[in-house]
Amino acid sequence: MDAAAMESLILELHAVEAYKFGTFVLKSGITSPIYLDLRVLVSHPRLLSAVAALLGSLVPATSPYDLLCGVPYTALPFASVLSVARNVPMILRRYHDAGAGGASAGVRTQGTFRAGDTVLIVEDLVTSGASVLETVAPLRAEGLLVADAVVVVDREQGGRENLAANGVALHSLMTLTEVLAVLVRHGKVTQEKAAEVKHFLDANRTVAVPPGTPVKPKVARMPFAERARLAVNPMGKKLFEVMEAKQSNLCVAADVQTTKELLELANKVGPEICMLKTHVDILSDFTPDFGGKLRSIAEEHNFLIFEDRKFADIGNTVTMQYEGGIFRISDWADIVNAHVVPGPGIVDGLKLKGLPKGRGLLLLAEMSSAGNLAQGDYTAAAVKFAEQHSDFVMGFISVNPASWLATPSSPAFIHATPGVQTVAGGDSLGQQYNTPCSVINERGSDIIIVGHGIIKASNPAEAAREYRIQGWQAYQTSLS
């Protein structure tokens, strides 16, 4: 939603008296000078429909969902309208036990669903995030996956952070600060009242989740140096050590079409990165000496080479693809990756040739393209294979590991996330982008993989430096 559309929406909400000023005690227990009453929208169907449609557009295509669930009660109309408009099934989280003739005791979620389905939470506004968490808990208890929530207004009082700590990414149409700015600009609220609300916000930026709210205990991220000592795979250990030494969790996706471009790019960004991701099969001028030249640059700048081959065949075939052919990938690539679709045999085949050379493998647990099928049981299978082959599997290609139900038992496994830019969004071919802060702090990844934001920059070296700083700052913030 662009700025003009958001401004128009804020004014429409004001016109139906969705914003109230006075003294109000919120669910979180704090006393607020402003109250947002979005229940009034049930009497304004056109506006209700418009808001519901906008909520549906907030979720990135990298986060597909099977079901909708509105937080009782105010958000139920939004979820219902969105469900009908998008033909997406909806389920209900019971708010109170039903009486005679109602649902049986112990039934906390109503509707048709299967364990493993992904649910998008719909909410009207968020303060501490408690209401969302109260809805998430019973859904997860049923085996449902919850990773995203959409909300009309984020009051900017700790809800986003509380939800992120519980593996839920919050997507909001607007913030309370944005609402105030528009109302002041159009004379709908005085400067004095806006200052009072702003002072209230500044004094209550971190509202704790009320006692008794079902939350996932926040586990502080273990520093890379400590995780290096736990790593079983030698290349995984080395990657952690390189990251600490260079203070970089940046991987550049060198998606260029000639070896000349790739080697020049590697030299430019080498000082800023921990890893360079290649696609050797798109190089139009590949020659057998390419691997040696790239390894020399990698050794000079102390980064690892990750060939994004995405192996996906049976064990015997991938063995030959890895070691032989014209590319001889195992000779020069420190790290490769693979799908788990063929079963554990693919790991056995790659391990046969890679482990003796000290190489490492990343399993594709999730993907960043729109409509992909790498989720749920597929992701759980990747975790299982990794734990069975921890001597060779060093981690995962992930999108939102904080939301996984099946998580690795050891922090030695590393997560690398593609599709990172400084501004969230997507391209015409379905690639979806998240920011470094979102990827590290909200989604729980370790390494940001950046392509176009660097290789298309006028100064790739400077762009890489900026991404390295953002990625490392996000990592340091996540340690506390």
Side-chain angles (χ1 to χ4, degrees):
M1 180 170 60
D2 61 28
M6 183 177 70
E7 185 161 317
S8 176
L9 176 59
I10 290 172
L11 291 174
E12 284 195 83
L13 291 174
H14 177 269
V16 299
E17 300 183 349
Y19 313 122
K20 303 183 188 303
F21 296 89
T23 302
F24 309 93
V25 178
L26 306 180
K27 178 177 179 177
S28 58
I30 63 175
T31 300
S32 169
I34 185 172
Y35 179 66
L36 291 88
D37 183 8
L38 297 179
R39 291 171 297 186
V40 298
L41 267 66
V42 297
S43 299
H44 303 275
R46 182 195 60 78
L47 187 53
L48 174 64
S49 179
V51 171
L54 289 169
L55 286 172
S57 69
L58 288 176
V59 186
T62 47
S63 302
Y65 51 90
D66 307 298
L67 303 165
L68 294 167
C69 185
V71 175
Y73 287 108
T74 309
L76 292 180
F78 298 115
S80 300
V81 172
L82 184 57
S83 172
V84 172
R86 298 216 169 185
N87 195 29
V88 176
M90 178 176 161
I91 57 176
L92 297 173
R93 192 267 290 185
R94 284 179 61 202
Y95 196 62
H96 297 296
D97 289 336
S104 60
V107 177
R108 305 167 70 191
T109 305
Q110 294 177 301
T112 302
F113 58 89
R114 296 178 301 173
D117 284 346
T118 299
V119 184
L120 173 66
I121 302 297
V122 181
E123 176 63 302
D124 61 332
L125 60 94
V126 163
T127 303
S128 69
S131 294
V132 173
L133 293 175
E134 288 171 353
T135 297
V136 168
L139 300 185
R140 286 178 171 169
E142 298 275 11
L144 294 165
L145 308 179
V146 184
D148 295 274
V150 292
V151 63
V152 182
V153 182
D154 175 8
R155 289 182 59 109
E156 306 169 279
Q157 293 180 270
R160 182 179 299 275
E161 293 75 17
N162 290 337
L163 292 175
N166 286 272
V168 180
L170 183 67
H171 311 275
S172 63
L173 278 180
M174 63 189 73
T175 65
L176 199 49
T177 298
E178 291 168 335
V179 169
L180 285 173
V182 171
L183 295 182
V184 169
R185 187 158 58 248
H186 288 267
K188 305 299 183 182
V189 67
T190 65
Q191 290 279 5
E192 292 74 20
K193 178 57 70 173
E196 178 188 350
V197 176
K198 185 177 184 304
H199 176 75
F200 161 77
L201 288 177
D202 290 341
N204 295 274
R205 285 295 179 187
T206 306
V207 178
V209 174
T213 303
V215 299
K216 182 175 73 175
K218 181 173 174 57
V219 179
R221 184 192 296 264
M222 183 180 292
F224 294 147
E226 293 182 27
R227 292 168 69 184
R229 291 191 285 270
L230 299 175
V232 178
N233 174 260
M235 198 55 65
K237 176 181 175 66
K238 183 175 180 180
L239 180 55
F240 280 127
E241 292 172 343
V242 168
M243 292 162 71
E244 278 286 354
K246 299 182 72 173
Q247 294 193 353
S248 173
N249 54 350
L250 170 65
C251 170
V252 168
D255 297 335
V256 294
Q257 296 183 348
T258 68
T259 57
K260 181 176 183 293
E261 290 176 281
L262 195 152
L263 296 175
E264 287 179 352
L265 178 67
N267 251 323
K268 290 177 181 176
V269 303
E272 308 295 338
I273 65 176
C274 65
M275 192 161 63
L276 184 77
K277 185 174 79 71
T278 62
H279 276 296
V280 68
D281 53 357
I282 65 175
L283 298 176
S284 60
D285 57 348
F286 175 85
T287 55
D289 62 350
F290 163 77
K293 291 179 179 178
L294 183 57
R295 288 210 63 82
S296 295
I297 296 172
E299 290 168 7
E300 177 185 353
H301 296 299
N302 191 27
F303 64 80
L304 304 187
I305 303 170
F306 164 32
E307 166 54 24
D308 190 6
R309 178 61 178 78
K310 295 186 179 72
F311 291 104
D313 218 314
I314 61 173
N316 185 56
T317 301
V318 298
T319 299
M320 294 187 288
Q321 291 173 326
Y322 188 23
E323 183 183 50
I326 61 172
F327 298 128
R328 303 190 67 82
I329 294 170
S330 65
D331 285 347
W332 52 269
D334 299 303
I335 302 163
V336 292
N337 59 353
H339 289 286
V340 299
V341 172
I346 191 170
V347 181
D348 292 327
L350 294 169
K351 181 176 170 178
L352 182 67
K353 299 299 180 180
L355 191 57
K357 296 183 177 183
R359 306 307 193 200
L361 175 67
L362 295 171
L363 294 179
L364 281 132
E366 296 178 290
M367 296 184 71
S368 59
S369 54
N372 77 84
L373 305 179
Q375 53 184 299
D377 290 343
Y378 178 96
T379 301
V383 172
K384 180 180 178 181
F385 294 171
E387 297 200 313
Q388 291 172 340
H389 297 275
S390 60
D391 56 342
F392 184 52
V393 178
M394 54 187 284
F396 309 93
I397 299 297
S398 315
V399 174
N400 190 3
S403 71
W404 294 2
L405 287 183
T407 56
S409 58
S410 171
F413 291 109
I414 200 161
H415 294 276
T417 297
V420 178
Q421 285 196 359
T422 53
V423 179
D427 64 20
S428 61
L429 296 179
Q431 173 65 298
Q432 300 298 309
Y433 299 106
N434 290 292
T435 65
C437 181
S438 170
V439 166
I440 303 300
N441 285 319
E442 296 178 7
R443 296 173 177 264
S445 192
D446 299 306
I447 293 175
I448 57 173
I449 302 177
V450 183
H452 287 185
I454 292 176
I455 66 176
K456 299 296 185 181
S458 58
N459 187 335
E462 182 59 30
R465 180 177 180 275
E466 289 300 319
Y467 272 100
R468 179 188 66 78
I469 291 172
Q470 286 190 37
W472 194 255
Q473 286 177 341
Y475 158 68
Q476 290 180 312
T477 300
S478 71
L479 293 176
S480 57

